[in-house]
Amino acid sequence: MKVAFVSLGCAKNLVNTEQMMALVRQAGHTVAGEAAGADVAVLNTCGFIDSAKSEAIQNILELAALKDEGKLKKLLVTGCLSQRYQKELVEELPEVDGVLGTGSYTEIVSALEEVMAGGRPFRFGDIDHTQEDGARLVSTPPYTAYLKIAEGCDNRCAYCVIPSLRGRYRSRTMESLLAEARTLAESGVKELIVIAQDITRYGTDIYGKRMLGQLLRELCRLDFHWVRLHYLYPDEVDESLIDVIASERKIVKYIDIPLQHINDGILKAMNRRSTKAEILALLARLRARLPGLVLRTSLICGLPGEGEAEFEELCAFLRTAGIERAGIFQFSPEEGTPAAAMEGQVDPAVAERRVELLVDLQSRVMDAWNERRLGETLEVLCEGFDPEMGCYAGRCYADSPDVDGKVFFTAGGLVAAGSFVPVRITGVSDGDLTGEIEE
């Protein structure tokens, strides 16, 4: 059987796709590079907000078109969209031949065999007890890989459906994570990206205390060059964790710390546990302890109750805090969440305009940071030659894959993808940096 995989959404979802690919290959089947010509296409979806749902539906329709053309035999849909809209997916999209929920990834092989035999698998296992260990067929470039240290979430933010799709927070054991990390290091991975919905709570469920700092110390003993962290929730970042980040050379001084807002009333309505004063104090401590720190955050515009005063407070925060990287999102009233039923819903057109204003403000903050890099020499992870730009492309410590910018640079000779090189920054261009390799 030839099986093609399409993975949408976040890096955590990509890890699940990689686990399914490994199971398929272990069963003796072929993992195809493209859906056209495959027996089955497996679409691993995101279903977090409206834009993600739209992207998933569009991909289903595109794969269905391949079926109509005789270029694909079956279509199996997995992931968050499946978990969230179980019956609707089957009833409203007859093109779909089977669905697996987020608790049934490990059933992929038997589901594929069932669908090829003419069945229509419909499997939804326990989302609170999933198998997170096991082999992966890593699909990222050979020098970069993700390490998912936990699944699920207990934060219960008022706007978020993730706990209902991914279950309660559950850490993987330290032993399993270090074994997987060793395998990744031995395979040549140089940039390890530690991920979970909330990495700061790692270990609290199985060890009774926060263990992220100890895990990071162990990971830094392995043969990685960079260790990158996604995502740290502000209310769980303590001094001991800051000590680890400050003292471990391999941990890049880049922290993705979702704040979502700064106004106390909106934070409370979101069911976030930090106040404005606590957030400002934390950012000040991080800046003081971690010279050169680059912060990434996510912010939501248009939550019910956000008036002009609350929005202006958010704008003022961005102007003064100097957050170097930010994803700005429009509030999406997701059914089943407390926020969707709140009074004081903001007109979507108003929320959209606020997003545009924040994006413009944030771009100026990012441009100013980039301009301050002129004349500096940065260590850059080369990702290969970019034929469109006519030069090499890579990332410095301040750039996480897929969400941040690039460093485009020239070199007098060949530069291998996956190598770290010194690049003197000579220019800025639309959020990216340009430069030349320093021989």
Side-chain angles (χ1 to χ4, degrees):
M1 189 191 316
K2 187 182 293 185
V3 186
F5 286 84
V6 179
S7 191
L8 305 178
C10 65
K12 300 180 293 295
N13 211 39
L14 177 63
V15 171
N16 290 133
T17 301
E18 294 174 342
Q19 291 167 329
M20 289 192 289
M21 290 194 294
L23 289 169
V24 167
R25 179 171 286 184
Q26 287 171 359
H29 303 299
T30 301
V31 175
E34 296 183 357
D39 294 306
V40 188
V42 178
L43 177 64
N44 194 16
T45 60
C46 178
F48 180 38
I49 55 176
D50 282 341
S51 58
K53 290 182 282 187
S54 298
E55 181 187 21
I57 297 299
Q58 181 60 36
N59 273 266
I60 289 172
L61 297 177
E62 290 173 2
L63 292 168
L66 288 180
K67 285 178 61 181
D68 291 340
E69 296 167 10
K71 298 178 181 178
L72 177 68
K73 294 177 183 176
K74 299 289 183 179
L75 171 57
L76 187 64
V77 180
T78 67
C80 289
L81 189 76
S82 297
Q83 186 67 36
R84 192 171 182 188
Y85 301 106
Q86 302 175 12
K87 293 182 179 179
E88 295 93 332
L89 202 59
V90 173
E91 293 170 356
E92 298 178 19
L93 292 167
E95 303 91 341
V96 175
D97 299 296
V99 291
L100 297 183
T102 56
S104 296
Y105 285 119
T106 53
E107 299 177 47
I108 182 65
V109 173
S110 60
L112 288 169
E113 292 169 350
E114 182 180 347
V115 80
M116 285 302 293
R120 203 175 193 197
F122 185 81
R123 305 185 185 189
F124 293 89
D126 184 355
I127 63 173
D128 289 321
H129 299 87
T130 53
Q131 174 56 257
E132 298 301 326
D133 299 334
R136 292 163 53 194
L137 186 58
V138 178
S139 59
T140 46
Y143 46 81
T144 296
Y146 296 99
L147 182 69
K148 186 165 74 167
I149 66 173
E151 179 57 283
C153 186
D154 290 341
N155 287 316
R156 300 285 173 182
C157 298
Y159 50 82
C160 184
V161 297
I162 286 176
S164 65
L165 303 180
R166 291 285 179 171
R168 61 175 177 78
Y169 190 87
R170 50 207 186 275
S171 304
R172 296 175 58 193
T173 66
M174 186 90 68
E175 292 78 12
S176 68
L177 289 171
L178 293 177
E180 182 175 333
R182 288 188 197 97
T183 299
L184 292 171
E186 290 166 1
S187 72
V189 169
K190 294 301 177 185
E191 179 187 40
L192 186 75
I193 307 175
V194 178
I195 59 169
Q197 194 62 34
D198 176 2
I199 65 173
T200 34
R201 283 176 173 76
Y202 172 72
T204 54
D205 54 323
I206 57 176
Y207 298 116
K209 60 181 179 178
R210 300 188 194 105
M211 293 286 285
L212 178 62
Q214 185 173 332
L215 174 63
L216 293 178
R217 294 263 192 220
E218 295 297 324
L219 291 175
C220 288
R221 291 175 179 165
L222 302 177
D223 191 21
F224 300 114
H225 192 83
W226 281 351
V227 176
R228 194 179 290 276
L229 309 179
H230 289 243
Y231 307 90
L232 292 87
Y233 274 57
D235 56 300
E236 294 285 342
V237 178
D238 57 20
E239 289 304 314
S240 63
L241 179 57
I242 298 174
D243 287 341
V244 173
I245 298 172
S247 61
E248 291 291 350
R249 177 184 56 81
K250 293 183 179 181
I251 300 178
V252 295
K253 303 311 179 269
Y254 169 109
I255 293 178
D256 193 319
I257 184 166
L259 300 174
Q260 310 304 1
H261 215 280
I262 199 63
N263 172 266
D264 281 334
I266 299 298
L267 288 169
K268 185 176 181 180
M270 288 178 163
N271 199 30
R272 304 286 288 184
R273 284 180 286 274
S274 298
T275 64
K276 177 180 181 177
E278 289 167 342
I279 289 172
L280 294 178
L282 172 62
L283 298 187
R285 292 203 313 275
L286 290 171
R287 297 283 193 198
R289 294 290 311 281
L290 305 171
L293 175 66
V294 166
L295 287 169
R296 164 166 276 281
T297 195
S298 53
L299 300 169
I300 297 175
C301 291
L303 192 95
E306 183 191 69
E308 290 301 322
E310 290 81 6
F311 176 65
E312 178 51 41
E313 188 175 352
L314 183 58
C315 292
F317 167 70
L318 268 191
R319 292 189 195 101
T320 58
I323 303 287
E324 291 83 1
R325 308 280 189 262
I328 317 294
F329 301 95
Q330 182 176 339
F331 168 68
S332 179
E334 299 300 316
E335 62 267 38
T337 63
M342 286 178 181
E343 295 181 357
Q345 296 283 328
V346 177
D347 185 295
V350 172
E352 183 178 7
R353 178 58 181 156
R354 289 176 181 172
V355 169
E356 292 171 355
L357 290 170
L358 269 193
V359 167
D360 181 65
L361 195 162
Q362 174 58 29
S363 67
R364 281 179 268 153
V365 173
M366 184 177 69
D367 289 344
W369 186 88
N370 281 348
E371 287 167 6
R372 291 196 296 273
R373 307 284 76 77
L374 291 173
E376 290 186 5
T377 297
L378 298 176
E379 182 181 47
V380 172
L381 170 57
C382 178
E383 296 185 305
F385 190 82
D386 188 317
E388 185 176 331
M389 296 294 292
C391 62
Y392 288 96
R395 292 180 287 107
C396 70
Y397 80 98
D399 302 312
S400 207
D402 300 324
V403 294
D404 295 318
K406 298 274 189 180
V407 180
F408 295 100
F409 63 96
T410 57
L414 295 176
V415 182
S419 59
F420 290 85
V421 293
V423 174
R424 187 170 65 85
I425 304 303
T426 58
V428 297
S429 175
D430 295 328
D432 297 316
L433 296 171
T434 59
E436 55 192 26
I437 197 166
E438 198 168 70
E439 303 294 346

